[in-house]
Amino acid sequence: MPAGPYPLLAVLAVVAVLVAGAVLAVVRIRRLEARIRGALAAERRRATYYRMSAENARDGLVIHDTNLTILWANPAYLRMMGQPAEKVIGHTPLDFAFPPGEAPRKEDVIATLRAAAESGREALHIFRNTRGDGTQFWNQINFGFQSDEKGESHVVLVCRDVTRAVEQEEDVRRIRDRLEHEARHDGLTGAANRTEFLRFTREVLEGGTRTGQRVALLHIDLDRFKDINDTHGHSAGDAALIHAARELKGAVRRSDMVARVGGDEFVVVCPGVPDLATLERLARGLAAAIARPFRFNDMNLYTRASFGCALSTLGETDPQALLLQSDFALYEAKHAGRSRVTVYDEGLHQRHIRMQRRATDLRDAVETGGLDHVFQPVVELSTGRIAGFETLVRWHHETEGIISPADFLPMAEDLGLLATLDLLSMEAALSMKRRLGAAGYGQTVLSFNASSDLLRHPSFINRLVFGAEAAGMDRSQIAIEVLETTVFTDQDERDSPARIIRDLRDAGFHVYLDDFGMGYAGLAHLAELAITGIKLDQLLVKRMLTNETSAKIVATIIELCRDLGLRMIAEGVEDATTAQRLRQMGCPLIQGYWLSPPVSGDNAMAFVTGHNGTIALPRSRRRLSAV
Ligand code: C2E
Ligand code: CA
Ligand code: CA
């Protein structure tokens, strides 16, 4: 075998190169292996972190495909839903997450997801969800999109139970709604209040102007509401109001409004009432509903109401005009005897205009002293002596002639003119008293009628005292006549009529209780009030001859007055028979047409001087002539 140093060296060199190459390769492989191991470890760590966070997250995490099938869910989600994994994985949330009937449609959800995916935005929704045990909670879901390595889209949901936050928000909203409701409604009956009524009426009037629909306004006042309060107490009054509001609400359409605008006053506003006949039918229906009985303390109670109704004219957008009309109609209904329905029609409109003119004229007459006063004599039955005169107001209207006090006094009261009017009557009485005194008839008692407005008038007593003093009159020769209704107030009130009556009596004046024996007729008043006399009601006097009970009542009152030392005047004596009967019963004083109607100041003077202070009382049925 050929051998030499070079071939061997060459071989050795080659071997050495090969060995070195192999060693290098091994080193590289080792390094590569180490790098791969490192990368795998890092990947494992990352996966562990992902798993740790997914398993320990408080939020529910879910991955589902675009067909809503759940591929994966974390334990928090399973806990939140109260479902085992097998009920969740492979299913869609629509199968188990929603209360019965509340699950959205699958197509809608997919469409929403697609729209969100296209816009590239994340979306946040709050759903009411149900757990496996049926309890419900509010689930706030945040979803985004993720594509996997194959490019397939997945939906990633992050779910959070936000029930407490939602409930707190609901509480806040509920409180806000309640406050808003309270600001617009009456707390007792739940009916709308005045502010809300005005807002609604304005709104429907404006709407009606656009659509050509008229709006009806029914103004309702419960009759004798005070009686319910007085007889059965305030909770019965409340029950009556609640009953009325409920009946009204039950009888009108949802588009109508029932409002309580005063103590016992309601209004109903109905858009789209075509004519007055429909309006009247509607009102009668409501009146019948209110007239149904209501329960209170195991009793059936009843209440009725007066209705004033008006219908808007097209183009009218101010509720005030309509309110004024329904108000006037209500006033008419109440004065025509209550429990009535009055519709503001053409006739009433004419009357309204007349009354408005009358109101202006009355103000004018009161303020410029344009009223007259007449005087009706009071005579002592046993002697015929003219013991006094009652002062009565008269209004001669330019175009309407004489208007009776019964007609214009309520108007004067509404206009706030009654106290001024009464002060004029007081002045007339004082001046008549001066005339009689000057003519030598100083012992004639002059009386005038005092409303509660006068009694409460701050300068009334001062003016009365001053007027009497200036003329040197004896205060016991002046009498103030007050109605029982006037004194039906809280006696402890500082300026209550009862208190002022006591002051008047203490100052030495006479105070008569007018129209005694009918109406309120409280015998207790005789003891409670500081009155010095009574005027027996005309009706009782009239019935006395035909009705034995009335006669007995009159006899009893006469006796009682005598025992109590009260003056007593029988009013409305129209014939000798009545006068005779009263005399037999011991009635001391009478007043009435039989003696004289109320007459002018001059005629009153002539009546006294003509009879020289005392008239011979005839026993016949013949009427006495006035003068
Ligand atoms: P009143 O105080 O009971 O006055 C008696 C009323 O009966 C008067 O009516 C009088 O004209 C009428 N009268 C008198 N005698 C008879 C009779 O024999 N038969 C009948 N049927 N009637 C008779 P008048 O003047 O219309 O007054 C009505 C009411 O108006 C008065 O009733 C009184 O309550 C009130 N009034 C009158 N003047 C005033 C006033 O100046 N101030 C106040 N606040 N009220 C007044
Ligand atoms: Ca009177
Ligand atoms: Ca009277």
Side-chain angles (χ1 to χ4, degrees), residues 566-594:
L566 295 173
R567 260 183 194 227
M568 128 137 224
I569 302 163
E571 280 193 296
V573 178
E574 295 186 349
D575 52 60
T577 323
T578 309
Q580 182 62 19
R581 187 83 195 267
L582 285 164
R583 196 207 314 253
Q584 286 163 356
M585 289 175 172
C587 174
L589 298 157
I590 60 164
Q591 177 184 346
Y593 291 165
W594 182 60

PDB file of all heavy atoms in Angstrom, residues 566-594:
ATOM      1  N   LEU A 566    -133.186  88.137  76.349  1.00  0.00           N
ATOM      2  CA  LEU A 566    -132.836  88.561  74.992  1.00  0.00           C
ATOM      3  C   LEU A 566    -134.000  89.309  74.356  1.00  0.00           C
ATOM      4  O   LEU A 566    -135.155  88.958  74.566  1.00  0.00           O
ATOM      5  CB  LEU A 566    -132.504  87.343  74.124  1.00  0.00           C
ATOM      6  CG  LEU A 566    -131.270  86.528  74.509  1.00  0.00           C
ATOM      7  CD1 LEU A 566    -131.205  85.264  73.657  1.00  0.00           C
ATOM      8  CD2 LEU A 566    -129.999  87.356  74.314  1.00  0.00           C
ATOM      9  N   ARG A 567    -133.662  90.335  73.547  1.00  0.00           N
ATOM     10  CA  ARG A 567    -134.685  90.987  72.757  1.00  0.00           C
ATOM     11  C   ARG A 567    -135.165  90.030  71.694  1.00  0.00           C
ATOM     12  O   ARG A 567    -134.407  89.171  71.246  1.00  0.00           O
ATOM     13  CB  ARG A 567    -134.090  92.186  72.033  1.00  0.00           C
ATOM     14  CG  ARG A 567    -134.396  93.470  72.719  1.00  0.00           C
ATOM     15  CD  ARG A 567    -133.850  94.584  71.910  1.00  0.00           C
ATOM     16  NE  ARG A 567    -133.863  95.750  72.746  1.00  0.00           N
ATOM     17  CZ  ARG A 567    -134.316  96.912  72.340  1.00  0.00           C
ATOM     18  NH1 ARG A 567    -134.735  97.070  71.097  1.00  0.00           N
ATOM     19  NH2 ARG A 567    -134.331  97.929  73.165  1.00  0.00           N
ATOM     20  N   MET A 568    -136.398  90.229  71.235  1.00  0.00           N
ATOM     21  CA  MET A 568    -136.842  89.321  70.185  1.00  0.00           C
ATOM     22  C   MET A 568    -137.810  90.026  69.264  1.00  0.00           C
ATOM     23  O   MET A 568    -138.766  90.664  69.696  1.00  0.00           O
ATOM     24  CB  MET A 568    -137.420  88.097  70.867  1.00  0.00           C
ATOM     25  CG  MET A 568    -138.769  87.710  70.434  1.00  0.00           C
ATOM     26  SD  MET A 568    -138.749  85.932  70.250  1.00  0.00           S
ATOM     27  CE  MET A 568    -139.604  85.803  68.739  1.00  0.00           C
ATOM     28  N   ILE A 569    -137.516  89.930  67.990  1.00  0.00           N
ATOM     29  CA  ILE A 569    -138.341  90.589  66.982  1.00  0.00           C
ATOM     30  C   ILE A 569    -138.823  89.524  65.993  1.00  0.00           C
ATOM     31  O   ILE A 569    -138.000  88.790  65.433  1.00  0.00           O
ATOM     32  CB  ILE A 569    -137.533  91.665  66.222  1.00  0.00           C
ATOM     33  CG1 ILE A 569    -136.990  92.710  67.210  1.00  0.00           C
ATOM     34  CG2 ILE A 569    -138.362  92.322  65.125  1.00  0.00           C
ATOM     35  CD1 ILE A 569    -135.870  93.572  66.656  1.00  0.00           C
ATOM     36  N   ALA A 570    -140.129  89.447  65.809  1.00  0.00           N
ATOM     37  CA  ALA A 570    -140.656  88.514  64.804  1.00  0.00           C
ATOM     38  C   ALA A 570    -140.717  89.255  63.477  1.00  0.00           C
ATOM     39  O   ALA A 570    -141.334  90.316  63.386  1.00  0.00           O
ATOM     40  CB  ALA A 570    -142.032  88.026  65.213  1.00  0.00           C
ATOM     41  N   GLU A 571    -140.059  88.664  62.457  1.00  0.00           N
ATOM     42  CA  GLU A 571    -139.996  89.317  61.146  1.00  0.00           C
ATOM     43  C   GLU A 571    -141.067  88.765  60.223  1.00  0.00           C
ATOM     44  O   GLU A 571    -141.588  87.670  60.440  1.00  0.00           O
ATOM     45  CB  GLU A 571    -138.653  89.009  60.494  1.00  0.00           C
ATOM     46  CG  GLU A 571    -137.509  89.836  60.980  1.00  0.00           C
ATOM     47  CD  GLU A 571    -136.323  89.655  60.040  1.00  0.00           C
ATOM     48  OE1 GLU A 571    -135.806  88.542  59.935  1.00  0.00           O
ATOM     49  OE2 GLU A 571    -135.943  90.651  59.410  1.00  0.00           O
ATOM     50  N   GLY A 572    -141.356  89.519  59.167  1.00  0.00           N
ATOM     51  CA  GLY A 572    -142.252  89.021  58.113  1.00  0.00           C
ATOM     52  C   GLY A 572    -143.693  88.874  58.567  1.00  0.00           C
ATOM     53  O   GLY A 572    -144.407  87.985  58.104  1.00  0.00           O
ATOM     54  N   VAL A 573    -144.098  89.725  59.475  1.00  0.00           N
ATOM     55  CA  VAL A 573    -145.496  89.675  59.918  1.00  0.00           C
ATOM     56  C   VAL A 573    -146.344  90.389  58.867  1.00  0.00           C
ATOM     57  O   VAL A 573    -146.192  91.587  58.638  1.00  0.00           O
ATOM     58  CB  VAL A 573    -145.666  90.346  61.301  1.00  0.00           C
ATOM     59  CG1 VAL A 573    -147.125  90.340  61.728  1.00  0.00           C
ATOM     60  CG2 VAL A 573    -144.783  89.653  62.330  1.00  0.00           C
ATOM     61  N   GLU A 574    -147.189  89.617  58.187  1.00  0.00           N
ATOM     62  CA  GLU A 574    -147.912  90.190  57.048  1.00  0.00           C
ATOM     63  C   GLU A 574    -149.386  90.413  57.329  1.00  0.00           C
ATOM     64  O   GLU A 574    -150.101  90.983  56.497  1.00  0.00           O
ATOM     65  CB  GLU A 574    -147.738  89.284  55.823  1.00  0.00           C
ATOM     66  CG  GLU A 574    -146.285  89.243  55.358  1.00  0.00           C
ATOM     67  CD  GLU A 574    -146.098  88.482  54.059  1.00  0.00           C
ATOM     68  OE1 GLU A 574    -147.041  87.804  53.621  1.00  0.00           O
ATOM     69  OE2 GLU A 574    -145.001  88.597  53.478  1.00  0.00           O
ATOM     70  N   ASP A 575    -149.875  89.938  58.455  1.00  0.00           N
ATOM     71  CA  ASP A 575    -151.309  90.153  58.721  1.00  0.00           C
ATOM     72  C   ASP A 575    -151.588  90.229  60.219  1.00  0.00           C
ATOM     73  O   ASP A 575    -150.763  89.848  61.053  1.00  0.00           O
ATOM     74  CB  ASP A 575    -152.143  89.038  58.076  1.00  0.00           C
ATOM     75  CG  ASP A 575    -151.630  87.684  58.487  1.00  0.00           C
ATOM     76  OD1 ASP A 575    -151.629  87.402  59.709  1.00  0.00           O
ATOM     77  OD2 ASP A 575    -151.174  86.919  57.609  1.00  0.00           O
ATOM     78  N   ALA A 576    -152.806  90.688  60.515  1.00  0.00           N
ATOM     79  CA  ALA A 576    -153.207  90.915  61.902  1.00  0.00           C
ATOM     80  C   ALA A 576    -153.291  89.608  62.679  1.00  0.00           C
ATOM     81  O   ALA A 576    -152.974  89.563  63.873  1.00  0.00           O
ATOM     82  CB  ALA A 576    -154.546  91.644  61.939  1.00  0.00           C
ATOM     83  N   THR A 577    -153.718  88.532  62.008  1.00  0.00           N
ATOM     84  CA  THR A 577    -153.868  87.254  62.702  1.00  0.00           C
ATOM     85  C   THR A 577    -152.528  86.798  63.275  1.00  0.00           C
ATOM     86  O   THR A 577    -152.438  86.356  64.427  1.00  0.00           O
ATOM     87  CB  THR A 577    -154.396  86.169  61.730  1.00  0.00           C
ATOM     88  OG1 THR A 577    -155.340  86.779  60.847  1.00  0.00           O
ATOM     89  CG2 THR A 577    -155.022  85.029  62.458  1.00  0.00           C
ATOM     90  N   THR A 578    -151.499  86.924  62.444  1.00  0.00           N
ATOM     91  CA  THR A 578    -150.160  86.534  62.900  1.00  0.00           C
ATOM     92  C   THR A 578    -149.735  87.420  64.070  1.00  0.00           C
ATOM     93  O   THR A 578    -149.236  86.928  65.094  1.00  0.00           O
ATOM     94  CB  THR A 578    -149.147  86.668  61.743  1.00  0.00           C
ATOM     95  OG1 THR A 578    -149.653  85.983  60.607  1.00  0.00           O
ATOM     96  CG2 THR A 578    -147.798  86.105  62.114  1.00  0.00           C
ATOM     97  N   ALA A 579    -149.992  88.725  63.902  1.00  0.00           N
ATOM     98  CA  ALA A 579    -149.610  89.657  64.965  1.00  0.00           C
ATOM     99  C   ALA A 579    -150.338  89.303  66.263  1.00  0.00           C
ATOM    100  O   ALA A 579    -149.739  89.277  67.347  1.00  0.00           O
ATOM    101  CB  ALA A 579    -149.938  91.083  64.541  1.00  0.00           C
ATOM    102  N   GLN A 580    -151.606  88.980  66.106  1.00  0.00           N
ATOM    103  CA  GLN A 580    -152.437  88.641  67.263  1.00  0.00           C
ATOM    104  C   GLN A 580    -151.901  87.406  67.979  1.00  0.00           C
ATOM    105  O   GLN A 580    -151.755  87.370  69.195  1.00  0.00           O
ATOM    106  CB  GLN A 580    -153.871  88.422  66.757  1.00  0.00           C
ATOM    107  CG  GLN A 580    -154.891  88.114  67.832  1.00  0.00           C
ATOM    108  CD  GLN A 580    -155.017  89.286  68.828  1.00  0.00           C
ATOM    109  OE1 GLN A 580    -154.627  90.421  68.515  1.00  0.00           O
ATOM    110  NE2 GLN A 580    -155.519  89.006  70.017  1.00  0.00           N
ATOM    111  N   ARG A 581    -151.593  86.381  67.185  1.00  0.00           N
ATOM    112  CA  ARG A 581    -151.076  85.123  67.730  1.00  0.00           C
ATOM    113  C   ARG A 581    -149.742  85.364  68.460  1.00  0.00           C
ATOM    114  O   ARG A 581    -149.516  84.840  69.549  1.00  0.00           O
ATOM    115  CB  ARG A 581    -150.910  84.134  66.577  1.00  0.00           C
ATOM    116  CG  ARG A 581    -150.538  82.727  66.978  1.00  0.00           C
ATOM    117  CD  ARG A 581    -151.780  81.933  67.387  1.00  0.00           C
ATOM    118  NE  ARG A 581    -151.431  80.719  68.106  1.00  0.00           N
ATOM    119  CZ  ARG A 581    -151.269  79.528  67.539  1.00  0.00           C
ATOM    120  NH1 ARG A 581    -151.457  79.400  66.249  1.00  0.00           N
ATOM    121  NH2 ARG A 581    -150.952  78.476  68.258  1.00  0.00           N
ATOM    122  N   LEU A 582    -148.909  86.196  67.841  1.00  0.00           N
ATOM    123  CA  LEU A 582    -147.602  86.501  68.447  1.00  0.00           C
ATOM    124  C   LEU A 582    -147.780  87.249  69.763  1.00  0.00           C
ATOM    125  O   LEU A 582    -147.065  87.019  70.736  1.00  0.00           O
ATOM    126  CB  LEU A 582    -146.747  87.335  67.478  1.00  0.00           C
ATOM    127  CG  LEU A 582    -146.129  86.559  66.299  1.00  0.00           C
ATOM    128  CD1 LEU A 582    -145.638  87.511  65.214  1.00  0.00           C
ATOM    129  CD2 LEU A 582    -144.983  85.659  66.772  1.00  0.00           C
ATOM    130  N   ARG A 583    -148.763  88.131  69.756  1.00  0.00           N
ATOM    131  CA  ARG A 583    -149.009  88.885  70.987  1.00  0.00           C
ATOM    132  C   ARG A 583    -149.441  87.927  72.110  1.00  0.00           C
ATOM    133  O   ARG A 583    -148.953  88.007  73.238  1.00  0.00           O
ATOM    134  CB  ARG A 583    -150.102  89.937  70.743  1.00  0.00           C
ATOM    135  CG  ARG A 583    -150.104  90.997  71.864  1.00  0.00           C
ATOM    136  CD  ARG A 583    -151.457  91.664  72.091  1.00  0.00           C
ATOM    137  NE  ARG A 583    -152.131  92.072  70.912  1.00  0.00           N
ATOM    138  CZ  ARG A 583    -152.269  93.342  70.495  1.00  0.00           C
ATOM    139  NH1 ARG A 583    -151.736  94.313  71.184  1.00  0.00           N
ATOM    140  NH2 ARG A 583    -152.954  93.610  69.416  1.00  0.00           N
ATOM    141  N   GLN A 584    -150.324  86.958  71.726  1.00  0.00           N
ATOM    142  CA  GLN A 584    -150.765  85.982  72.732  1.00  0.00           C
ATOM    143  C   GLN A 584    -149.593  85.173  73.275  1.00  0.00           C
ATOM    144  O   GLN A 584    -149.550  84.797  74.435  1.00  0.00           O
ATOM    145  CB  GLN A 584    -151.794  85.024  72.108  1.00  0.00           C
ATOM    146  CG  GLN A 584    -153.147  85.665  71.899  1.00  0.00           C
ATOM    147  CD  GLN A 584    -153.993  84.860  70.916  1.00  0.00           C
ATOM    148  OE1 GLN A 584    -153.544  83.873  70.344  1.00  0.00           O
ATOM    149  NE2 GLN A 584    -155.235  85.312  70.710  1.00  0.00           N
ATOM    150  N   MET A 585    -148.661  84.897  72.404  1.00  0.00           N
ATOM    151  CA  MET A 585    -147.500  84.103  72.836  1.00  0.00           C
ATOM    152  C   MET A 585    -146.517  84.930  73.647  1.00  0.00           C
ATOM    153  O   MET A 585    -145.555  84.389  74.202  1.00  0.00           O
ATOM    154  CB  MET A 585    -146.768  83.545  71.615  1.00  0.00           C
ATOM    155  CG  MET A 585    -147.508  82.447  70.895  1.00  0.00           C
ATOM    156  SD  MET A 585    -146.556  82.017  69.419  1.00  0.00           S
ATOM    157  CE  MET A 585    -147.435  80.577  68.863  1.00  0.00           C
ATOM    158  N   GLY A 586    -146.690  86.210  73.659  1.00  0.00           N
ATOM    159  CA  GLY A 586    -145.804  87.073  74.447  1.00  0.00           C
ATOM    160  C   GLY A 586    -144.640  87.640  73.668  1.00  0.00           C
ATOM    161  O   GLY A 586    -143.643  88.080  74.258  1.00  0.00           O
ATOM    162  N   CYS A 587    -144.749  87.623  72.318  1.00  0.00           N
ATOM    163  CA  CYS A 587    -143.659  88.183  71.506  1.00  0.00           C
ATOM    164  C   CYS A 587    -143.663  89.705  71.657  1.00  0.00           C
ATOM    165  O   CYS A 587    -144.685  90.355  71.440  1.00  0.00           O
ATOM    166  CB  CYS A 587    -143.867  87.783  70.052  1.00  0.00           C
ATOM    167  SG  CYS A 587    -142.685  88.557  68.947  1.00  0.00           S
ATOM    168  N   PRO A 588    -142.526  90.289  72.011  1.00  0.00           N
ATOM    169  CA  PRO A 588    -142.538  91.721  72.302  1.00  0.00           C
ATOM    170  C   PRO A 588    -142.537  92.625  71.069  1.00  0.00           C
ATOM    171  O   PRO A 588    -143.202  93.660  71.078  1.00  0.00           O
ATOM    172  CB  PRO A 588    -141.253  91.937  73.107  1.00  0.00           C
ATOM    173  CG  PRO A 588    -140.353  90.818  72.727  1.00  0.00           C
ATOM    174  CD  PRO A 588    -141.216  89.670  72.324  1.00  0.00           C
ATOM    175  N   LEU A 589    -141.818  92.250  70.008  1.00  0.00           N
ATOM    176  CA  LEU A 589    -141.622  93.177  68.884  1.00  0.00           C
ATOM    177  C   LEU A 589    -141.915  92.497  67.552  1.00  0.00           C
ATOM    178  O   LEU A 589    -141.604  91.316  67.370  1.00  0.00           O
ATOM    179  CB  LEU A 589    -140.168  93.678  68.878  1.00  0.00           C
ATOM    180  CG  LEU A 589    -139.720  94.477  70.106  1.00  0.00           C
ATOM    181  CD1 LEU A 589    -138.206  94.421  70.267  1.00  0.00           C
ATOM    182  CD2 LEU A 589    -140.203  95.930  70.010  1.00  0.00           C
ATOM    183  N   ILE A 590    -142.484  93.268  66.637  1.00  0.00           N
ATOM    184  CA  ILE A 590    -142.728  92.699  65.310  1.00  0.00           C
ATOM    185  C   ILE A 590    -142.265  93.656  64.213  1.00  0.00           C
ATOM    186  O   ILE A 590    -142.147  94.868  64.426  1.00  0.00           O
ATOM    187  CB  ILE A 590    -144.218  92.328  65.072  1.00  0.00           C
ATOM    188  CG1 ILE A 590    -145.118  93.576  65.212  1.00  0.00           C
ATOM    189  CG2 ILE A 590    -144.664  91.207  65.977  1.00  0.00           C
ATOM    190  CD1 ILE A 590    -146.498  93.372  64.611  1.00  0.00           C
ATOM    191  N   GLN A 591    -142.062  93.059  63.028  1.00  0.00           N
ATOM    192  CA  GLN A 591    -141.646  93.817  61.855  1.00  0.00           C
ATOM    193  C   GLN A 591    -142.271  93.107  60.665  1.00  0.00           C
ATOM    194  O   GLN A 591    -142.369  91.891  60.652  1.00  0.00           O
ATOM    195  CB  GLN A 591    -140.106  93.771  61.757  1.00  0.00           C
ATOM    196  CG  GLN A 591    -139.493  94.453  60.554  1.00  0.00           C
ATOM    197  CD  GLN A 591    -137.959  94.253  60.507  1.00  0.00           C
ATOM    198  OE1 GLN A 591    -137.349  93.828  61.498  1.00  0.00           O
ATOM    199  NE2 GLN A 591    -137.357  94.544  59.377  1.00  0.00           N
ATOM    200  N   GLY A 592    -142.750  93.850  59.677  1.00  0.00           N
ATOM    201  CA  GLY A 592    -143.322  93.165  58.512  1.00  0.00           C
ATOM    202  C   GLY A 592    -144.241  94.063  57.715  1.00  0.00           C
ATOM    203  O   GLY A 592    -144.553  95.193  58.115  1.00  0.00           O
ATOM    204  N   TYR A 593    -144.657  93.528  56.565  1.00  0.00           N
ATOM    205  CA  TYR A 593    -145.484  94.314  55.642  1.00  0.00           C
ATOM    206  C   TYR A 593    -146.802  94.768  56.275  1.00  0.00           C
ATOM    207  O   TYR A 593    -147.406  95.735  55.859  1.00  0.00           O
ATOM    208  CB  TYR A 593    -145.777  93.504  54.375  1.00  0.00           C
ATOM    209  CG  TYR A 593    -144.562  93.269  53.493  1.00  0.00           C
ATOM    210  CD1 TYR A 593    -144.596  92.310  52.479  1.00  0.00           C
ATOM    211  CD2 TYR A 593    -143.397  94.015  53.667  1.00  0.00           C
ATOM    212  CE1 TYR A 593    -143.493  92.092  51.664  1.00  0.00           C
ATOM    213  CE2 TYR A 593    -142.292  93.792  52.865  1.00  0.00           C
ATOM    214  CZ  TYR A 593    -142.335  92.839  51.864  1.00  0.00           C
ATOM    215  OH  TYR A 593    -141.251  92.628  51.060  1.00  0.00           O
ATOM    216  N   TRP A 594    -147.258  94.032  57.250  1.00  0.00           N
ATOM    217  CA  TRP A 594    -148.518  94.405  57.905  1.00  0.00           C
ATOM    218  C   TRP A 594    -148.401  95.813  58.508  1.00  0.00           C
ATOM    219  O   TRP A 594    -149.337  96.599  58.476  1.00  0.00           O
ATOM    220  CB  TRP A 594    -148.866  93.388  58.998  1.00  0.00           C
ATOM    221  CG  TRP A 594    -150.166  93.677  59.679  1.00  0.00           C
ATOM    222  CD1 TRP A 594    -151.397  93.750  59.092  1.00  0.00           C
ATOM    223  CD2 TRP A 594    -150.363  93.937  61.071  1.00  0.00           C
ATOM    224  NE1 TRP A 594    -152.364  94.032  60.008  1.00  0.00           N
ATOM    225  CE2 TRP A 594    -151.746  94.159  61.248  1.00  0.00           C
ATOM    226  CE3 TRP A 594    -149.520  93.999  62.180  1.00  0.00           C
ATOM    227  CZ2 TRP A 594    -152.306  94.444  62.491  1.00  0.00           C
ATOM    228  CZ3 TRP A 594    -150.079  94.264  63.416  1.00  0.00           C
ATOM    229  CH2 TRP A 594    -151.459  94.487  63.561  1.00  0.00           C
TER     230      TRP A 594
END
